[in-house]
Amino acid sequence: MAKVGIPRGLFYYQYFPLWKAFFEELGAEVVTSEPSNRQILDAGLKSCVDEACLPVKLYHGHVLNLKGRVDFLFIPRLTSVSKNEYICPKFGGLPDMIRNSVKDLPGLIDTEVNLRKSKGNALKAAIDIGSCLCDDRRIIKRAFENALRAYRKHKDIFLRGQVPCLFRERDGFSGREGREEGDSPGRSLNIALIGHPYNVYDSFVNMGLLSKLTGHGVNFITVDMLAEDAVNRKAAALNKPVFWNFARKAVGGVLHLLDRDDLDGIIYLMSFGCGVDSFICDLIERKVRRLRDIPFAVLTIDEHTGEAGMNTRLEAFIDMLRWRELNENNLSSHG
């Protein structure tokens, strides 16, 4: 049985259930790298170019973690995952970066996935990928159909307001309930958490942000928890279309959430040096300032980010929201 290695980084946090089901349907054993940790990051920092963003550096470490344990490494050349849109160029160049940075790699499955002109290209890519393990196109097509069903089930978990178990392995995050001792009583705060999935759901990268939020009695809402048609309708209202897949979802998701009366704040989690984040974060903040009086915070992370500083900023933001809830609605009209 062939072993296919999938690094636990970047688009792992969106498509791993699809990839896992697909390869297992073809008779392969799927092996993932260990959850992100300091050793994996340090290994990635040593092998990756300095100019890369934190998620790409970490991804190199995950590749090294799999080296010597698998027959194939699955690192697709992702150009576009949605019609008329692109994703960050780093995904397209990732296989080449890995080849030039990591020596003695196992077989690399680096098929291009480009759905910019047609979603039908997904099946073509699946057949190309599956041909590494199987010669029968009918079997590959059936495996892809079953993988799509697994992927839809994965997305349904988010739509129920939950985080799938496979993203909660490291820090034991188990739900939305819970409040740390000493937190202010009262209703739970609702905070939109905006960011690339590989930043939002990797608890090493974000230093357990989801657990920290729930520990403070906060209900967090990510873009993945919103209905796609509602997000698309809001994104379509922009003066011109945003041609990045993540950007459309982030902007449309925030605009959709701004219609809610119970949204208390917005946190944008971004990687230092990310070109898409630097542009979209500013665009979203301008929209929020123009449309609603809702507090907006930016948390920027890189390999040097300290947890103490992250905790201080997060706690200050939550304290400010609770003060606002308790006091701004109870100001005397006199004077």
Side-chain angles (χ1 to χ4, degrees), residues 91 124 134 137 146 239 265 315 329:
F91 291 100
K124 294 179 182 178
C134 176
R137 290 169 63 97
N146 291 335
N239 294 332
E315 290 167 7
N329 292 328

Short mmCIF file of all heavy atoms in Angstrom, two decimals, residues 91 124 134 137 146 239 265 315 329:
data_model
loop_
_atom_site.label_atom_id
_atom_site.label_comp_id
_atom_site.label_asym_id
_atom_site.label_seq_id
_atom_site.Cartn_x
_atom_site.Cartn_y
_atom_site.Cartn_z
N PHE A 91 1.04 29.65 -3.60
CA PHE A 91 0.54 28.29 -3.77
C PHE A 91 0.95 27.72 -5.11
O PHE A 91 1.22 26.52 -5.23
CB PHE A 91 -0.99 28.27 -3.62
CG PHE A 91 -1.47 28.55 -2.23
CD1 PHE A 91 -1.94 29.80 -1.88
CD2 PHE A 91 -1.45 27.56 -1.27
CE1 PHE A 91 -2.39 30.06 -0.60
CE2 PHE A 91 -1.89 27.82 0.02
CZ PHE A 91 -2.36 29.07 0.35
N LYS A 124 -10.46 16.87 -14.03
CA LYS A 124 -9.25 16.61 -14.82
C LYS A 124 -8.02 16.52 -13.91
O LYS A 124 -7.17 15.65 -14.08
CB LYS A 124 -9.05 17.73 -15.84
CG LYS A 124 -10.13 17.79 -16.92
CD LYS A 124 -9.87 18.94 -17.88
CE LYS A 124 -10.96 19.04 -18.93
NZ LYS A 124 -10.75 20.19 -19.86
N CYS A 134 -3.52 4.68 -9.60
CA CYS A 134 -4.50 3.79 -10.22
C CYS A 134 -4.57 4.07 -11.72
O CYS A 134 -4.50 5.24 -12.14
CB CYS A 134 -5.87 4.00 -9.57
SG CYS A 134 -7.23 3.07 -10.30
N ARG A 137 -9.62 5.01 -14.93
CA ARG A 137 -10.24 6.32 -14.80
C ARG A 137 -11.60 6.26 -14.11
O ARG A 137 -11.99 7.19 -13.40
CB ARG A 137 -10.41 6.96 -16.19
CG ARG A 137 -9.09 7.37 -16.83
CD ARG A 137 -9.30 7.73 -18.29
NE ARG A 137 -10.16 8.89 -18.43
CZ ARG A 137 -9.72 10.14 -18.59
NH1 ARG A 137 -8.41 10.38 -18.62
NH2 ARG A 137 -10.55 11.15 -18.73
N ASN A 146 -16.84 10.45 -4.25
CA ASN A 146 -16.95 10.16 -2.82
C ASN A 146 -16.19 11.19 -1.99
O ASN A 146 -16.63 11.56 -0.89
CB ASN A 146 -16.42 8.75 -2.53
CG ASN A 146 -17.31 7.66 -3.09
OD1 ASN A 146 -18.51 7.87 -3.29
ND2 ASN A 146 -16.74 6.51 -3.38
N ASN A 239 -17.75 47.74 -5.80
CA ASN A 239 -17.68 48.47 -7.06
C ASN A 239 -17.06 47.64 -8.18
O ASN A 239 -17.41 47.78 -9.34
CB ASN A 239 -16.88 49.77 -6.88
CG ASN A 239 -17.59 50.75 -5.98
OD1 ASN A 239 -18.82 50.74 -5.89
ND2 ASN A 239 -16.83 51.61 -5.31
N GLY A 265 -17.67 42.87 17.90
CA GLY A 265 -16.34 43.28 17.47
C GLY A 265 -15.83 42.41 16.35
O GLY A 265 -16.41 41.36 16.02
N GLU A 315 -6.89 40.40 25.52
CA GLU A 315 -7.63 40.70 26.76
C GLU A 315 -8.07 42.16 26.81
O GLU A 315 -9.18 42.47 27.26
CB GLU A 315 -6.76 40.35 27.96
CG GLU A 315 -6.56 38.85 28.15
CD GLU A 315 -5.45 38.52 29.14
OE1 GLU A 315 -4.95 39.46 29.79
OE2 GLU A 315 -5.11 37.33 29.25
N ASN A 329 -24.42 52.14 26.90
CA ASN A 329 -25.88 52.16 26.80
C ASN A 329 -26.53 52.71 28.08
O ASN A 329 -27.76 52.72 28.20
CB ASN A 329 -26.42 50.76 26.53
CG ASN A 329 -26.03 50.27 25.15
OD1 ASN A 329 -25.91 51.07 24.24
ND2 ASN A 329 -25.81 48.97 25.03
#
